[in-house]
Amino acid sequence: MSNYQTPDSKKEEFRKYLEKSGVIDALTKVLVGLYEEPERPPNAVDYIKRYMGAPTGVDVEAMRAENEQLRKEREELRSTIEELNGRLQETAAEN
C-alpha cells in the first residue's frame, strides 16, 4: 500500500517544519513590529521585506540582465587570457 497522508497530517508536518526552522518566530516578530508601529506604513509588504532584510526598490530583471551580460564578458576575458597565455608559452618555447 502506498504512503498516504491526510491533508491535516501534511499541514501539521509543514507547520512543524516552519516552527523548527524558525520561520514562525521570524514572521511573528515582524508582524508584532508592524502592529506596534505608531503610524502604519503605506506599504506593509515593503515594511516586512525591510524588516526581514530584503532590499526594496530593486529591479530584479535589470539585475538578471546585467548578471548575464557580466557572465558573457567574464567568459570572453577568460578566453582572451587563455589565448594570451598560449602565445606567451609559444614565445617562451622559441627563446
Side-chain angles (χ1 to χ4, degrees):
M1 204 176 239
S2 66
N3 187 11
Y4 177 76
Q5 287 186 317
T6 65
D8 287 339
S9 66
K10 285 183 179 182
K11 287 178 186 177
E12 182 62 21
E13 183 180 314
F14 186 67
R15 187 196 62 75
K16 286 179 181 178
Y17 161 74
L18 293 176
E19 188 175 331
K20 184 178 179 182
S21 63
V23 172
I24 291 176
D25 287 338
L27 289 174
T28 300
K29 287 177 185 176
V30 72
L31 292 174
V32 167
L34 180 60
Y35 176 78
E36 292 176 346
E37 277 292 314
E39 294 184 29
R40 300 283 182 243
N43 189 332
V45 173
D46 281 346
Y47 174 88
I48 293 170
K49 286 180 180 179
R50 268 194 323 279
Y51 191 94
M52 301 294 282
T56 57
V58 175
D59 185 354
V60 175
E61 288 303 316
M63 289 181 74
R64 285 185 179 147
E66 180 183 14
N67 189 4
E68 184 61 31
Q69 188 266 333
L70 290 171
R71 286 177 191 262
K72 288 178 183 177
E73 185 177 325
R74 182 189 67 201
E75 288 305 313
E76 291 171 3
L77 290 171
R78 284 184 176 173
S79 178
T80 301
I81 288 170
E82 287 179 20
E83 180 186 333
L84 292 173
N85 280 335
R87 288 184 191 174
L88 183 62
Q89 288 176 355
E90 287 175 9
T91 303
E94 289 175 0
N95 294 332

